[in-house]
Amino acid sequence: MEFPNSERVRSELVIPLTLQGRLIGVLDLESINLGAFSAEHERMLVILGSYIAIALENSRLYARSRENELRLQGDLDTARDIQRQLLPQHPHKMHGLDLAAVYKPARELAGDFYDFLPYGDGCLAIVVGDVPGKGTAAALYAAMAIGILREHTADHKLSPSELIATLNGRLCASHISPGFVALLFAHCDMEKGRLRIANAGIPWPILVRDGRAQELKIDGTPLGIFPDLDYEVLEFATQPEDIFVFASDGILESMNAHEEQFGFERLTETLRTVRPDTSSGHICTAILAATDKFSGRPEEPRDDRTLVILRVN
């Protein structure tokens, strides 16, 4: 090595930079003077070298961690986009019905889902589901449930209770974590003016008729826990301007800073302000805005929120 003044190195002190027995670098000092480095210099640089080694290792680990974080975020963004593509991109259009849905995940990936499925001539199936958890496992389990539903609704041969029982059997047989899903299945036959609802653990649906909101008390065990269960079906004769509200628990259980839940009464108050001719889309917007205002921190939701509004024209 040559210095700019062409004088050659006459003294050199080399200190290995080691950490936990691994060589991660070398500290090399050079001088043009003979005998420029003493034992005291060596002791000082050995002490300094241990700190430099730690700093170099921390820098390397941070760079690797940052790279992994960016790769993971990219994977999550892709998975979120795929999950959204699994859901209906536009409200289903059906004569006599005004349908709208809103889907607000708490994180990148969600356990909530909804679907609109043609289910016979002039008929439509409406599905709202909720898998426990908010991460990758919940999202994949929800995707599996959607796939099974679409497979068994293709031939339109099963009643709502039979369809839910079949889905329950398939999920029980899978033995896959998180292991269960709450689900509501509504079969709407507008030619007969009839709505049939089967429930497996979703909060009770709400019917708004003549300005009065009432819970439709139909219960059921979430799917994927116990095989060979039967599910009750509730049947209604629909009337013009009926509004049906199907929601995951993230709507009613939205919490404020005092740990109070939004609840049925506040939801009823919101629905009471809705005019009979208000579109389903505006009803969705009003309910979501009410839960945001109540929580006081809509940017930090505690749970996924999914809402489907069915309004009879």
Side-chain angles (χ1 to χ4, degrees):
M1 176 179 179
E2 293 189 358
F3 287 84
N5 58 9
S6 300
E7 296 185 72
R8 296 188 177 278
V9 172
R10 304 183 68 187
S11 299
E12 185 173 12
L13 179 60
V14 178
I15 301 296
L17 303 177
T18 62
L19 186 65
Q20 297 178 344
R22 292 183 296 111
L23 179 66
I24 63 172
V26 172
L27 184 61
D28 188 349
L29 275 71
E30 299 173 343
S31 174
I32 60 174
N33 298 319
L34 185 65
F37 304 112
S38 65
E40 183 63 28
H41 289 140
E42 181 181 356
R43 284 193 297 271
M44 182 182 67
L45 288 176
V46 167
I47 295 173
L48 180 62
S50 64
Y51 291 103
I52 295 175
I54 292 172
L56 287 174
E57 182 69 1
N58 286 342
S59 176
R60 183 184 66 82
L61 292 175
Y62 174 80
R64 179 185 295 178
S65 174
R66 180 60 177 163
E67 181 182 342
N68 290 336
E69 181 182 344
L70 291 174
R71 183 169 59 248
L72 178 60
Q73 186 60 53
D75 291 344
L76 285 175
D77 290 342
T78 301
R80 179 193 58 206
D81 293 340
I82 292 173
Q83 185 181 37
R84 286 186 177 274
Q85 290 298 321
L86 287 174
L87 304 177
Q89 300 305 297
H90 303 284
H92 191 91
K93 295 187 181 300
M94 184 175 178
H95 180 71
L97 289 183
D98 176 18
L99 283 168
V102 65
Y103 165 79
K104 292 289 183 180
R107 299 179 186 171
E108 287 90 347
L109 297 176
D112 277 14
F113 62 92
Y114 70 93
D115 211 347
F116 302 127
L117 301 166
Y119 204 58
D121 294 336
C123 298
L124 178 72
I126 300 169
V127 177
V128 175
D130 183 1
V131 178
K134 308 173 187 66
T136 305
L140 290 174
Y141 199 83
M144 182 175 70
I146 292 173
I148 297 173
L149 273 170
R150 291 177 179 176
E151 173 189 347
H152 287 283
T153 54
D155 55 12
H156 317 135
K157 292 180 179 179
L158 299 177
S159 67
S161 59
E162 291 172 336
L163 184 67
I164 284 191
T166 300
L167 176 59
N168 179 52
R170 288 282 298 273
L171 294 177
C172 285
S174 70
H175 303 293
I176 297 176
S177 178
F180 68 93
V181 54
L183 185 135
L184 180 140
F185 185 93
H187 179 232
C188 188
D189 185 343
M190 288 310 298
E191 290 186 1
K192 298 180 180 179
R194 183 176 65 178
L195 181 68
R196 295 185 294 169
I197 302 173
N199 193 8
I202 288 291
W204 290 334
I206 296 170
L207 168 62
V208 181
R209 177 175 288 175
D210 299 327
R212 179 175 175 270
Q214 58 177 313
E215 292 178 302
L216 307 179
K217 298 181 179 180
I218 176 169
D219 296 306
T221 304
L223 309 177
I225 303 175
F226 304 110
D228 303 322
L229 292 180
D230 294 324
Y231 288 89
E232 177 188 1
V233 173
L234 215 56
E235 185 168 327
F236 295 89
T238 61
Q239 298 180 11
E241 297 185 352
D242 277 353
I243 298 171
F244 291 87
V245 180
F246 308 116
S248 67
D249 57 10
I251 297 292
L252 293 174
E253 295 178 7
S254 293
M255 285 192 178
N256 62 14
H258 304 291
E259 301 293 322
E260 299 170 329
Q261 293 188 355
F262 185 68
F264 174 71
E265 294 302 325
R266 291 184 178 88
L267 179 56
T268 300
E269 185 63 31
T270 303
L271 292 170
R272 192 175 293 122
T273 63
V274 171
R275 291 171 49 87
D277 58 349
T278 302
S279 71
S280 292
H282 283 94
I283 297 173
C284 279
T285 301
I287 293 174
L288 202 65
T291 60
D292 284 345
K293 182 179 179 180
F294 175 76
S295 71
R297 47 181 187 276
E299 70 284 353
E300 299 178 2
R302 296 195 177 192
D303 199 1
D304 307 323
R305 292 177 293 170
T306 299
L307 179 68
V308 174
I309 302 294
L310 181 155
R311 179 177 169 274
V312 181
N313 288 330

